[in-house]
Amino acid sequence: MAPNEPLFAGRRGSSIHSEERAEDEDTALLSGQKVATAPKNRYHFWREVGLFTWAVVATAALIVLAVLLGQQQTIPQDGKSSKPTGKRNLIFMVSDGMGPASLSMTRSFRQFQGTLPFNDALALDQHFIGSSRTRSTSSYVTDSAAGATAFSCGLKSYNGAISMLPDLTPCGTVLEAAKKAGYMTGLVVTTDITDATPACFASHVRIRSEEDLIAQQEVGEHPLGRVVDLMLGGGRCHFLPNTTTGSCREDGRDITKLAQDIFGWNYIDNREDFDSLKLGSAVKLPLMGLFAEHDIPYEIDRRNMNDKYPSLEEMARTAMNALAAATQDSEKGFFLMIEASRIDHAGHGNDPAAQVNEVLGYDRAFASVIEFLDNSDVEGVMVATSDHETGELHPEYPHYGWYPQVLANVSHSSSYLAGQLRLHIGQTVDHSKNFEDDESRKADLAKYINEELVQKGLGIQDATAEEIQRVIDVPPLASYTFADMVSRRAQIGWSTHGHSAVDVNIYGSKGSDALRGNHENIEVGEFLRTYLDVDVQAVTDELVEKSTTLRSSAISGDWFGHIPTEEEIRFASMHYERLYPDAL
Ligand SMILES: *[C@@H]1O[C@H](CO)[C@@H](O)[C@H](O)[C@H]1NC(C)=O
Ligand SMILES: *[C@@H]1O[C@H](CO)[C@@H](O)[C@H](O)[C@H]1NC(C)=O
Ligand SMILES: [Zn+2]
């Protein structure tokens, strides 16, 4: 029986009418005969008993099925777009900075590494449905803040805007509207939980650099109160007071304490506590897990760190299981946003080995979401897209060559190795001598770079003296130099260290047909609110009203942070290029 047949479609109990009606007609015919005349023969009698029994059994079976499935079925409304009634879950996935070229490179790399046939596809590939145009109001090339505002509010805004509009007023988000409607909500990322993409769902500030304010709003010091039930990721430093080591806050407020004491959060910050969540079966909401001061390490590095940090897939599974359990007895399901945040960072760093492993980690998390939906008895949809592309890479390069073995030989990201170099230089500095005149120390450093970083870390055995010298000459750019050494050998070209305006892909599970084809990014946002059937405009109205009347009893200053300069907006998309510590 096709799930969309009117049979299961709406109200339970009475919803079995069509088949029942056909059955009624049969039995009416029979009973008509029965009333008129006594059964003429045994055959007729047994046929009647048989049909009656069948009708009883079928009706009972249908009632059981209707009770089991009743709330999950969809009513086709206008043939094309169908909106479910009853309980449902929505999982929205973002691959920050992932463009079509990173996909081609990753697919090909995976085939090479696993000796798979050339038609082997990623889990993502099997759910490709369309593409999205990404420009913002301030630029043809968007940043993650304007990109995520398009998803969260369904509206275009300027680069750097965290769910704020060009007139500097807040716009309600799909997560906030979902929370108000009774859904449970979650955010899972591999970068700071205060970074632009997650911030756009649960906070409102005029420029993305206001991460201290974003942290406060995310835990509940927000015009609407606490709107998030689960947060997993990095960015702990924005929650710790400036008197603590590992803090990056400007003030002395302890947001982890505020979260626990005032807003009731359960707070964890390490792998052991993450393991005790048992992939979600032992979670108490609200839960905030911040596993790194800043970013969770790149997948290529993380997997060599004794599992100190959870992977995106582990966090995604934990979040889905926890939210499903918490909504088990609720009429509403959950809304969860999962972001592979650092595909973008690997793009900024032009580091192909780090990027393919980030995309593969995302693909595994993506597969776990599909698996969850397949096994869930609650109606659910997954939509996945990117905010923009970063770096724009072309596996073709000048000679149409592509050497995936080069990437397979790399065991660490370039930024990690640059960090090792910084540490090494810090530890071996001899202030009694001038480095320029210290030939033996120069030779030692060259040997360390070649043997420990280039040969072991990058898997490159044929580094030239010029390449090593380039690292020694400009240590702050070591990360770019390492990435460039790998890219050249693999014959991968990068056009920029920044974002590009290329259309990005949209992926979706069953039920996401409305997003087939080419769309503006705000149409993805529209899909999210339509699927959940929530009133985002009512949230906007409430935010606007509260921002003028309530202006800050708990907070000194403005709810939404300072007004950005034109330069701050112009450079929003280069945020990481300028501030990413390893690139400096
Ligand atoms: C820490 O924050 C307080 C305000 O809460 C400020 O007065 C102080 O200067 C800050 N200290 C540092 C080292 O930034
Ligand atoms: C990869 O590493 C192996 C082992 O060190 C080496 O023999 C091979 O030449 C490397 N390949 C490339 C393309 O760097
Ligand atoms: Zn970026």
Side-chain angles (χ1 to χ4, degrees):
M1 239 168 282
N4 278 347
E5 273 177 9
L7 191 60
F8 285 162
R11 301 153 293 160
R12 314 168 188 177
S14 66
S15 69
I16 47 176
H17 46 267
S18 62
E19 192 134 321
E20 211 168 44
R21 196 184 308 122
E23 209 44 58
D24 284 344
E25 277 159 17
D26 258 19
T27 42
L29 214 68
L30 284 165
S31 55
Q33 285 173 340
K34 193 169 84 177
V35 171
T37 59
K40 277 175 189 155
N41 54 38
R42 274 173 179 276
Y43 165 72
H44 205 118
F45 171 73
W46 285 114
R47 180 166 177 252
E48 199 179 326
V49 169
L51 275 172
F52 178 72
T53 312
W54 189 89
V56 168
V57 170
T59 307
L62 283 174
I63 289 170
V64 169
L65 273 173
V67 167
L68 286 174
L69 305 174
Q71 294 213 312
Q72 319 162 21
Q73 299 307 320
T74 56
I75 303 179
Q77 294 201 318
D78 53 10
K80 196 158 159 269
S81 69
S82 62
K83 196 191 226 178
T85 58
K87 187 170 176 177
R88 76 209 82 146
N89 299 325
L90 176 58
I91 300 163
F92 179 52
M93 299 188 76
V94 180
S95 42
D96 195 310
M98 183 178 83
S102 7
L103 257 296
S104 319
M105 178 169 74
T106 304
R107 192 185 302 117
S108 168
F109 175 75
R110 195 176 100 106
Q111 289 163 3
F112 170 82
Q113 203 177 34
T115 343
L116 302 166
F118 68 84
N119 61 354
D120 180 80
L122 301 170
L124 280 157
D125 291 324
Q126 292 153 39
H127 294 85
F128 172 75
I129 58 171
S131 60
S132 161
R133 308 186 290 267
T134 63
R135 74 157 300 160
S136 70
T137 59
S138 63
S139 169
Y140 186 47
V141 180
T142 192
D143 83 315
S144 299
T149 297
F151 304 141
S152 63
C153 293
L155 295 166
K156 295 270 185 187
S157 196
Y158 57 92
N159 286 2
I162 302 294
S163 288
M164 299 293 286
L165 299 179
D167 67 358
L168 300 176
T169 63
C171 50
T173 77
V174 62
L175 182 143
E176 290 161 348
K179 179 70 183 173
K180 279 189 110 51
Y183 289 88
M184 290 286 204
T185 62
L187 300 170
V188 170
V189 301
T190 49
T191 184
D192 298 8
I193 197 79
T194 51
D195 196 47
T197 309
C200 280
F201 286 87
S203 67
H204 304 269
V205 293
R206 297 187 176 104
I207 190 75
R208 60 185 291 174
S209 54
E210 294 269 14
E211 292 185 62
D212 290 356
L213 256 182
I214 291 168
Q216 289 160 220
Q217 292 189 26
E218 284 178 338
V219 302
E221 212 168 67
H222 177 292
L224 307 179
R226 181 175 64 78
V227 294
V228 193
D229 295 303
L230 177 145
M231 291 193 270
L232 300 176
R236 191 166 63 224
C237 72
H238 300 287
F239 295 76
L240 299 175
N242 67 3
T243 46
T244 315
T245 45
S247 165
C248 56
R249 282 190 75 80
E250 288 196 353
D251 64 22
R253 299 189 71 195
D254 184 343
I255 306 303
T256 63
K257 194 166 174 343
L258 173 79
Q260 295 171 90
D261 295 354
I262 308 295
F263 297 105
W265 289 86
N266 296 291
Y267 170 59
I268 58 173
D269 65 359
N270 61 72
R271 177 76 204 203
E272 291 68 40
D273 288 347
F274 178 80
D275 287 341
S276 73
L277 303 176
K278 298 190 167 45
L279 285 181
S281 59
V283 166
K284 275 215 204 89
L285 299 179
L287 170 71
M288 174 163 78
L290 303 176
F291 305 108
E293 265 169 36
H294 278 287
D295 299 314
I296 292 192
Y298 282 127
E299 181 59 24
I300 192 175
D301 301 319
R302 188 200 69 82
R303 64 186 182 194
N304 296 317
M305 291 174 160
N306 301 319
D307 274 338
K308 180 174 173 202
Y309 304 92
S311 68
L312 182 63
E313 181 193 346
E314 290 172 311
M315 292 194 288
R317 285 185 186 276
T318 300
M320 291 185 289
N321 293 337
L323 292 169
T327 52
Q328 196 170 14
D329 300 321
S330 165
E331 281 177 23
K332 299 282 184 185
F334 63 80
F335 170 72
L336 171 63
M337 194 285 296
I338 301 170
E339 182 193 43
S341 321
R342 307 202 63 204
I343 298 170
D344 175 65
H345 301 177
H348 283 295
N350 289 7
D351 183 338
Q355 190 168 66
V356 294
N357 285 287
E358 284 308 290
V359 176
L360 286 175
Y362 178 60
D363 197 53
R364 286 191 290 272
F366 182 96
S368 79
V369 171
I370 296 290
E371 182 192 311
F372 171 85
L373 290 174
D374 285 349
N375 294 331
S376 170
D377 48 7
V378 177
E379 170 91 29
V381 160
M382 182 271 314
V383 167
T385 189
S386 307
D387 42 5
H388 55 77
E389 185 199 56
T390 306
E392 196 180 323
L393 78 206
H394 307 274
E396 290 84 10
Y397 215 50
H399 313 294
Y400 299 99
W402 153 235
Y403 301 103
Q405 179 66 57
V406 175
L407 304 193
N409 276 6
V410 180
S411 59
H412 282 289
S413 68
S414 293
S415 81
Y416 175 89
L417 296 171
Q420 295 297 104
L421 175 64
R422 250 199 328 268
L423 274 178
H424 179 84
I425 291 175
Q427 282 161 3
T428 57
V429 111
D430 181 351
H431 292 288
S432 66
K433 286 186 178 146
N434 183 346
F435 181 70
E436 288 308 315
D437 304 332
D438 189 344
E439 288 305 325
S440 84
R441 202 175 99 67
K442 268 187 184 164
D444 282 352
L445 185 59
K447 185 167 182 303
Y448 170 80
I449 291 169
N450 192 30
E451 288 177 6
E452 296 302 317
L453 305 180
V454 173
Q455 290 178 8
K456 283 194 194 150
L458 298 179
I460 291 176
Q461 313 301 329
D462 61 354
T464 64
E466 288 75 33
E467 285 174 323
I468 303 294
Q469 193 57 45
R470 218 165 14 122
V471 177
I472 294 174
D473 286 347
V474 200
L477 289 181
S479 180
Y480 285 177
T481 306
F482 290 147
D484 184 59
M485 289 166 71
V486 174
S487 295
R488 282 174 193 279
R489 284 171 174 77
Q491 299 262 300
I492 294 162
W494 301 83
S495 68
T496 168
H497 280 286
H499 298 172
S500 88
V502 162
D503 286 2
V504 293
N505 291 345
I506 304 177
Y507 303 88
S509 66
K510 212 167 57 191
S512 59
D513 280 356
L515 288 174
R516 288 197 178 276
N518 183 254
H519 295 271
E520 277 298 331
N521 53 7
I522 53 174
E523 289 164 20
V524 175
E526 245 168 67
F527 177 91
L528 302 180
R529 63 175 61 173
T530 305
Y531 181 76
L532 291 178
D533 195 17
V534 292
D535 190 350
V536 175
Q537 183 57 45
V539 175
T540 300
D541 295 343
E542 187 176 344
L543 284 169
V544 169
E545 194 200 315
K546 289 200 169 154
S547 64
T548 49
T549 57
L550 260 191
R551 188 168 292 244
S552 175
S553 44
I555 295 177
S556 56
D558 197 304
W559 280 105
F560 306 125
H562 75 278
I563 293 174
T565 62
E566 269 180 35
E567 199 193 332
E568 281 179 286
I569 293 172
R570 196 148 11 96
F571 285 104
S573 73
M574 283 151 72
H575 183 67
Y576 270 96
E577 196 174 358
R578 293 193 307 151
L579 299 184
Y580 197 43
D582 296 317
L584 296 174

